[in-house]
Amino acid sequence: MMTTSDRFQSYGLLESPLICSSSKGTENMCCDISKDGKWIACGDSGGTVDIYLAESGKLLYRLHDPQFQHLPVTSVKFKNDDPITNLLLASYSYGCICVWHFTSQKCLTTLIEERQTLNAAYAHDCKYFASVGSDRAVLVYSDETNQIASKLEPSMDHTVMDGHMSRVFGLQFHPSDHRILLTAGWDDTVQFWDIRQRHSTRKIIGPHVCGEALDIEPYTLSILTGSWRLQSQVEIWDYATGKLLKTLQPTTLDSKVYCCKWLSHREVLVGGSLRNMSFVITTETDEVVGQLGPLQHGVYSTAYCGHTKTIVNAAGSDLYINHHDDRNKSTTFITQEM
């Protein structure tokens, strides 16, 4: 047992996390937590997805296909359907998507894309899932058939910019409409898509997104973006008009942002590099009410379960898990081997 001061600082909503440390020698690139708060998935730079029990941090399953060895996992998303099917969507930089039955450690479906696949996500009702990557297109798949239902891309007229001009990293479906999704990337735009139309319907200009730094608040529909830069990193936008509502400017946010999520309509979770930290920030006052770091590595991915109020941060070979109840008494380190 070690104290938080031995390795890093933490306070507030990110104080005294449970730390799951891997001995594989790879970096954690992405993470997710199931809707019921039971499972945590973490994909690494060596092509492996680990499944943990969120309550204890115990490693239960390891998902690995030899054809993806030494190639990073770029996203992991639980299929939060009802009844629960224990399925997980994973994308790989190799240019493929796998649907895993994680409790049996079997890959049920493999989809090959002719590009680097950088993110994938389910719609709220799991009727569709979509992927984005290095070729500017958004591919929308039918979950029932695993076939492409829509290919969304810019038109040939570059003066209107009705789609992306570079790599795409951010991907988020509308909270209640599976026909609508938003994407963001290196071209400093957030694009709005309707899967019934080939080109984007409108855009926001400004955010420079390099990871899972795009989210929609389910009740207000406010859009949260995180930019990999040192100014105006965390911004909130009006969904209906696309106008900037607020730029969060806490005094301690001197990091380039890789990932961000809404925790509630008043709080956001932000992670990034440079100072290698994670923050919880209130949107009304810009106050930092939780901080983790500085860490040895950048925070590349975050996850949150509203049901159990569990926050997950992925940095280096470690997962940092915060449960907002009496379980967080002190920092506990667990070295995982399988």
Side-chain angles (χ1 to χ4, degrees), residues 24-259:
K24 293 178 295 181
T26 56
E27 281 196 88
N28 294 324
M29 307 302 295
C30 51
C31 65
D32 192 28
I33 185 168
S34 59
K35 187 176 181 180
D36 60 5
K38 182 178 180 180
W39 307 102
I40 292 173
C42 182
D44 69 20
S45 58
T48 297
V49 178
D50 287 336
I51 307 294
Y52 301 86
L53 273 179
E55 174 75 23
S56 63
K58 182 179 180 181
L59 174 62
L60 288 189
Y61 308 108
R62 179 158 286 170
L63 314 179
H64 186 75
D65 190 316
Q67 66 178 315
F68 309 132
Q69 191 173 6
H70 308 307
L71 297 168
V73 184
T74 54
S75 68
V76 286
K77 300 293 190 310
F78 286 100
K79 186 178 183 182
N80 293 312
D81 52 357
D82 189 18
I84 295 173
T85 54
N86 293 335
L87 297 182
L88 180 83
L89 186 71
S91 64
Y92 299 79
S93 64
Y94 171 81
C96 80
I97 299 170
C98 288
V99 178
W100 290 92
H101 185 261
F102 59 85
T103 51
S104 67
Q105 302 177 80
K106 293 181 179 179
C107 180
L108 304 182
T109 302
T110 301
L111 303 172
I112 303 299
E113 299 186 337
E114 295 181 358
R115 62 178 180 179
Q116 287 183 312
T117 307
L118 301 175
N119 200 352
Y122 281 108
H124 75 284
D125 56 4
C126 299
K127 184 174 181 179
Y128 298 103
F129 61 89
S131 70
V132 294
S134 58
D135 68 347
R136 307 182 299 174
V138 183
L139 299 180
V140 182
Y141 295 85
S142 164
D143 182 66
E144 181 179 3
T145 65
N146 291 317
Q147 300 297 312
I148 294 176
S150 300
K151 182 177 182 180
L152 313 176
E153 57 188 348
S155 67
M156 297 299 292
D157 185 356
H158 290 182
T159 63
V160 296
M161 202 175 181
D162 50 2
H164 288 289
M165 298 293 106
S166 188
R167 289 172 174 254
V168 186
F169 291 88
L171 169 64
Q172 189 69 41
F173 275 92
H174 189 281
S176 59
D177 189 343
H178 60 233
R179 300 168 298 181
I180 306 299
L181 66 156
L182 277 61
T183 57
W186 277 1
D187 61 7
D188 296 350
T189 68
V190 176
Q191 299 285 346
F192 293 70
W193 306 89
D194 185 320
I195 66 172
R196 297 164 294 186
Q197 301 182 41
R198 182 179 178 184
H199 311 310
S200 71
T201 58
R202 56 194 177 100
K203 62 183 177 291
I204 291 171
I205 298 176
H208 184 72
V209 173
C210 297
E212 295 182 311
L214 174 65
D215 200 14
I216 305 174
E217 207 287 317
Y219 300 105
T220 65
L221 295 185
S222 295
I223 300 168
L224 175 69
T225 59
S227 294
W228 199 75
R229 60 194 180 201
L230 285 176
Q231 297 82 32
S232 303
Q233 301 101 309
V234 185
E235 297 170 304
I236 300 173
W237 308 82
D238 181 72
Y239 180 90
T241 65
K243 292 182 178 179
L244 180 64
L245 297 177
K246 185 173 185 179
T247 300
L248 300 185
Q249 296 178 315
T251 56
T252 57
L253 186 62
D254 50 355
S255 292
K256 295 182 177 181
V257 172
Y258 273 117
C259 49

